[in-house]
Amino acid sequence: FLAIGSKENGVVVPPLLVCYWLFFRRTDPRRGWIALCAAASVVAGLFLLARFELRPATSVIFINPPQPAMKTMDEWVYGQSKIWAFYLRQILWPHDFCADYSPYSVRNFDNVLSLVAVLCVLGAQFFAAVFNRVFAMGMALYWLALLPVSNIVPIYRPMADRFLYVPMMGVAIMVASFPWPRGNFRKVAMACVVCSACLLVRLTLQREKVWHDGVALWADGVVKNPRSWDCWNNLGSELYDAGRYEEAIPNFQKAISLVHGQIADHYAGLALAYDALGRTKEADAAFQKCIALDNRYAHSELLLRALIWEKPDADKLQVIADRNR
């Protein structure tokens, strides 16, 4: 229950218990395993029932439901194959990390080649799983943990690094299931492992610099994904918080241009940046466009209830709102 409440991947616990039972514990008394798997399935089922059937008609936080990333079966097959191929590439050699992925992130992944690559990996995994139960368990963990975040049900983020956290345990199990070579081959294998680990440590240290602060994170994001309005808007917000108002303005403007002026939050950030520079007319004009899209921005208490803004910035926006009543 706690796993499902934390991440979507938690829903795969019941089928993973069934796999573990069938792969490793089939000689155990059945009654205990049936009770355990049934109990886990009931908990997961009740959670899913509540998630989809008991959700409120309106929410002060999520006013818009997530939209399908792929609207037809063909789009899902090819689009999701590109995302899976991207994940496989990241596992083999991680690079081009981004705080916000979009279709731009998989622009170089061909539809057909991605589908063929995923099918080849699946075929190789099935072949290995037939002869190795530990590998089969790792394969089950990898793919079952990916399914809840594979856009079968619409989600707010079609792809993200965090979606690989649980599946990577399956990768570790699959790798560990193969027997180590003996003699000189074992020394060569160990040397390769150590070299790979050192390279990955270097990549980790480089990536940590990106996460040093918000400006560094989102500045990296706009380079990796210049089509992400979230990256541009968040960079503008971080520059604003750092007191770099002049630099914040073009970032908000870029975010506005990417969505053709359809998101109120971008205009709100722009209004604050203009106001901080004493450019009152431009701040008021941006604010008027903001509340035309979402009237909650005229009332700071609504922004706080919806967890959209924090109090210091909401209070500054309220000053502009009071001026424009």
Side-chain angles (χ1 to χ4, degrees), residues 210 212-221 234-235 238-240 242 244:
V210 173
H212 178 268
D213 56 67
V215 173
L217 176 64
W218 297 112
D220 176 79
N234 291 340
L235 178 56
E238 293 293 341
L239 289 168
Y240 172 84
R244 297 158 64 177

Side-chain angles (χ1 to χ4, degrees), residues 85-258:
F86 176 85
Y87 288 157
L88 291 170
R89 196 280 309 273
Q90 293 295 79
I91 291 171
L92 290 173
W93 189 248
H95 68 287
D96 284 342
F97 288 109
C98 183
D100 182 45
Y101 295 109
S102 74
Y104 181 85
S105 306
V106 292
R107 65 195 182 283
N108 295 323
F109 285 75
D110 180 77
N111 285 343
V112 176
L113 289 178
S114 296
L115 179 59
V116 170
V118 171
L119 291 176
C120 287
V121 169
L122 271 172
Q125 287 178 326
F126 273 115
F127 180 79
V130 170
F131 302 100
N132 190 323
R133 287 179 299 168
V134 178
F135 187 95
M137 189 67 204
M139 176 184 174
L141 176 53
Y142 178 81
W143 287 108
L144 287 174
L146 269 185
L147 281 181
V149 290
S150 292
N151 298 287
I152 299 170
V153 175
I155 53 180
Y156 285 103
R157 287 285 182 266
M159 56 189 296
D161 294 329
R162 64 181 180 274
F163 295 162
L164 283 177
Y165 292 170
V166 178
M168 283 298 290
M169 290 193 290
V171 174
I173 292 173
M174 285 186 281
V175 172
S177 69
F178 289 108
W180 276 91
R182 298 183 181 278
N184 291 330
F185 288 108
R186 183 181 180 88
K187 295 178 181 178
V188 172
M190 284 297 294
C192 291
V193 169
V194 171
C195 290
S196 298
C198 290
L199 288 172
L200 291 172
V201 166
R202 184 170 183 271
L203 288 175
T204 298
L205 294 175
Q206 289 178 338
R207 188 64 186 166
E208 282 183 345
K209 295 177 183 177
V210 173
W211 285 88
H212 178 268
D213 56 67
V215 173
L217 176 64
W218 297 112
D220 176 79
V222 300
V223 172
K224 301 290 182 56
N225 187 4
R227 302 285 179 84
S228 169
W229 54 84
D230 277 344
C231 286
W232 288 104
N233 184 61
N234 291 340
L235 178 56
S237 297
E238 293 293 341
L239 289 168
Y240 172 84
D241 289 340
R244 297 158 64 177
Y245 308 124
E246 286 283 3
E247 296 176 68
I249 289 172
N251 290 283
F252 289 126
Q253 291 172 333
K254 180 65 176 181
I256 290 169
S257 68
L258 286 172

Side-chain angles (χ1 to χ4, degrees), residues 70 82 110 160 166 233 261 274 291:
M70 304 92 170
K82 291 169 71 172
D110 180 77
V166 178
N233 184 61
Y274 277 137
I291 59 173

Side-chain angles (χ1 to χ4, degrees), residues 267-299:
Y267 284 112
L270 185 61
L272 283 181
Y274 277 137
D275 201 57
L277 292 170
R279 296 162 65 173
T280 305
K281 289 185 178 179
E282 291 164 295
D284 291 347
F287 181 76
Q288 291 295 336
K289 292 178 181 178
C290 171
I291 59 173
L293 292 167
D294 189 341
N295 193 53
R296 291 179 302 169
Y297 284 80
H299 310 280

